[in-house]
Every structure is written in structure tokens, then in C-alpha cells.
Amino acid sequence: MPMYQPPKLDVSGGGQVLDLETAVKDGVLGGGGGVAATGVASTEKLDLKKMIEELDSIEVPSVFICPISLEPMQDPVTLCTGQTYERANIFKWLSLGHLTCPTTMQELWDDSITPNKTLYHLIYSWFSQKYLAMKKKSEDVQGRVLDILETLKKVKGQARVQALKELRQVVGNHSAAKKTMVNNGGIGLMSSLLGRFTTHAVGSEVVGILVNLNLDSESKLNLMQPEKISLMVDILNEGSIETKINCTKLIENLMGGEDSESETVSSLSLSVGLLRLVKDKRHPNGVQPGLALLRAISSHESVRSSMVSIGAVPQLIELLPSLNSECLELALSILKNLSSVPEGRLALKDCANTIPNLVKLLMRVSESCTQLALSILWAVCKLAPEECAPVAVEAGLAAKLLLVIQSGCNPTLKQQSAELLKLCSLNYTATIFISKCKLTRTLQ
């Protein structure tokens, strides 16, 4: 019977290849022959399963991975072929009647399964070191956050800005810092720094911190105070692109269950700033958050006419061809909301590219986008059928509507398409309509 050869291991960080015995002997990965090398007292024995779960995001040496489950092994055993697996996984393989090694597909000439204690100790030692290092780092982070929070209570001016910059970096990079902020009054302190006389330098850093935290309803209510929202809107209009995006995301989060008459919704300055953000071709990463907040604002009927008055309709129509599917659905949702008011429908009719751009979207992106585009087209064509129907026909709307009717779309969408098709045909004889639409006799 061939002797089992311990696998070669390359996990030392410098490209050195070692076998398991040498790795344990020399203390690689926290070896040294046992768990004591990790600095863990026997009375504080760590649970391997828990460590694996908490270190889920780190890269694990491939030799620790079970070839069957592709997960780190907790109870490694070795077959006669020299291949090592997690005990539960290989037992399941054998219980299914397989008489081969899963990795090599060699027939098993010996059904014995040997615990690989050397590999187990190496796995345990490696995870122990990583786990303790993570815990120490987490404790260091928590301590640093608490120190900065105390500092912020005492300093002003540029010293406050510098402290906030450091806190924003720590909170953005460590989940432990976020928890420390939430559990130690950090959100309340940040909120107290926002007000009528807050400088944009301080406000930008505070917003950059808050946008990374989970805010409860009480915190949101506190941050929704008019002077705080007014500051955020000012910063959104005048700050860097990172600050603009952070303000946008934070305000959208705060609007979660707000009153439709709140100052946030009625702020034209906010809508103007958001339209600038979504049109900024230099920074495409601002388009999605900007459109998301505009959709939330446009869902409130009381502000739709005001949004139309600042030119939202033509700006969004011109933006449609350049948007990805996610942003496209957001933009169409906004336009649909605006089409519910007379001013919105008139603005859509008066924009030369409304009908051509919307027709191009039918049956091209998603069913939801098709439904939104159809709703807007219906609102426009119904407003002025004699003026809009010929434009729609020339843009190829009829053929697109027939595709919708013949597709597997929902019945409501098909009915809406049939009604719009009928509306477009009112000013034509059947023969002229067919020729205009370039329809075949079969489609007729």
C-alpha cells in the first residue's frame, strides 16, 4: 500500500513551500506543535467553528479547504489515496455507495479513514492567530472611536474637522467602529454638530460618517430638523462629488417614512442640486443615488408641479439614452409621477425627444420599463392625439405595440398597448395606417 505523503503547503507569505510536519515544527501559521503557540490559554479554548464563521471574509490557505464542500475543514480525515476531506463530507460521499476518491477518482483499495491531526492542529492554530488578531484590532478600533468622540466634545475649528476626518475613515473601514458609534451615543453627538452655524467642512465630514451608520427612527427624526436638512441641501449643492453623493444617500435614508409636507420634499434647491448631480457626466457614480432620491421626492404629489417648473422633464428625457437598466427604471418612474399633473403632461408633449426616446425603450430593457414608458406615452398622446399620434407612428410606436400585444407580457400591459394603438390609428384609414407603420398583411 502506498505511504501517505503530507501535502506541500505554500502559506508562509514569502512563497516558501513546506510540508505540514515542517510547518508545525517551525511554527508557521501559529504552529509550534500545539495551540499554546497562539497565546490562547487552555482555559480559553477557542471554538474552531465559531472562528471560521467570524473569519468568513478572509482568504484561507487552499490546503485547509475540503475539496468536496470548498469550505475550511474542522475535522479533517485522510483516505488511503492520501487525499484529505472534512469527515462529514467524505462519510456522506461513501454512504451514497461511491467506492472512489472524489478528487483523484481512484478506486479505494482500503476503506480506512485516518484523522489528520497534524492538519487539524495547523488549521486550529492558523484560525486562532487570525481570530485573536482580529479581536485585538477590533478592541483597538473601539478604543480609538471612544477617544475621538471624547475629543470632539472639547475641540472646535480645524481641530474638530481633523478629528471628524479620522473618525470618518475609521467608521468607513471597520464594522466594529460602526457598532461602537451606535452603542456609545455617537449618532447623537454627530447630529448635535449639524445646525444653522455649522461650517460646510464640519458638515461634510459628519454626513460622511452618518451615511455609514444604521440609523433608528429616533435618530432619523432628530436629523430631519429643518436647520439640519437645510445644511445638508447646501452642502449637496456646493460640496465635492463625494459629499454630494453622501448627502443624497443620507437624505434618501431619512425620508423613509416622512410626512409629504416636510421641508425636505418641498425644497426646490434640493431638486435642482439632484438634477445637476445626475447630469454630471464627469461623475457617473452620482447618477443612481441622485435618481433614487428624485424618485422618492416625486412620489409626493404636492411637489410635482414645482419639479416640472425647474425643468425636470426635458432634463430627464435627454438623459434616458445614456442610462443603464437600473437608472432607467428610476428615471421613468419619476417621469411617470410627473405625468400625473397637467404641467408634467404639457412639458412631456412640448419636449421634442419625449416620444422618440420612449418608443426606443419599449420591449428593449425590461417589462417594468416597458410598462412605465407606455404609461407616459399614453398620457402624452391622450393629451394631444392629433399632434402626438403622427409623431409616435413615425417613431415606430405601432410596430412596438404589436410586439407587446403578441408577447408574454401581463394582460394589463397588453390592454394598454391595444388602446394606445387604437388611439394612434384614429387619424388614418386602415390602408394608410398599415403603410405608415410598415406592417405586413399578416400583422394586419
Side-chain angles (χ1 to χ4, degrees), residues 273-431:
L274 291 172
L275 286 170
R276 287 201 200 103
L277 179 62
V278 300
K279 292 192 304 176
D280 190 346
K281 295 181 180 179
R282 298 168 301 167
H283 304 104
N285 54 328
V287 176
Q288 192 279 333
L291 288 173
L293 182 50
L294 280 170
R295 182 178 65 173
I297 294 172
S298 70
S299 67
H300 298 278
E301 188 174 356
S302 60
V303 299
R304 291 172 186 170
S305 297
S306 298
M307 290 184 69
V308 174
S309 71
I310 61 173
V313 168
Q315 292 182 62
L316 291 171
I317 288 293
E318 297 304 320
L319 199 62
L320 292 179
S322 64
L323 299 178
N324 61 34
S325 58
E326 180 185 9
C327 292
L328 196 55
E329 190 166 335
L330 291 171
L332 289 172
S333 296
I334 299 166
L335 289 169
K336 182 178 181 296
N337 288 337
L338 298 184
S339 72
S340 69
V341 297
E343 300 92 336
R345 291 191 290 274
L346 187 60
L348 284 163
K349 180 185 77 70
D350 291 342
C351 181
N353 287 324
T354 294
I355 292 175
N357 284 356
L358 290 173
V359 169
K360 289 176 184 176
L361 297 177
L362 297 177
M363 299 298 290
R364 288 191 62 180
V365 183
S366 65
E367 185 172 324
S368 59
C369 282
T370 295
Q371 190 157 11
L372 288 167
L374 271 179
S375 296
I376 301 166
L377 284 167
W378 172 259
V380 174
C381 291
K382 191 175 180 182
L383 176 67
E386 292 185 358
E387 179 182 347
C388 297
V391 177
V393 171
E394 290 297 329
L397 176 60
K400 287 290 189 76
L401 292 175
L402 286 170
L403 284 176
V404 175
I405 293 170
Q406 295 169 358
S407 71
C409 294
N410 67 69
T412 303
L413 195 56
K414 291 183 179 183
Q415 181 63 29
Q416 193 173 25
S417 298
E419 291 174 0
L420 187 53
L421 187 63
K422 182 179 179 180
L423 184 67
C424 289
S425 68
L426 290 179
N427 295 323
Y428 299 94
T429 64
T431 303

Side-chain angles (χ1 to χ4, degrees), residues 132-151:
L132 291 174
M134 180 194 73
K135 284 295 184 184
K136 184 177 186 304
K137 187 175 182 180
S138 176
E139 291 171 0
D140 292 343
V141 166
Q142 292 171 11
R144 187 61 194 135
V145 169
L146 293 174
D147 288 344
I148 298 174
L149 290 178
E150 286 302 313
T151 300

Side-chain angles (χ1 to χ4, degrees), residues 26-57:
D26 293 345
V28 175
L29 303 178
V35 179
T38 65
V40 184
S42 58
T43 57
E44 300 177 19
K45 184 172 175 63
L46 300 170
D47 180 76
L48 180 56
K49 181 179 180 181
K50 179 183 177 182
M51 291 190 292
I52 291 174
E53 289 174 351
E54 294 200 23
L55 293 168
D56 179 62
S57 60

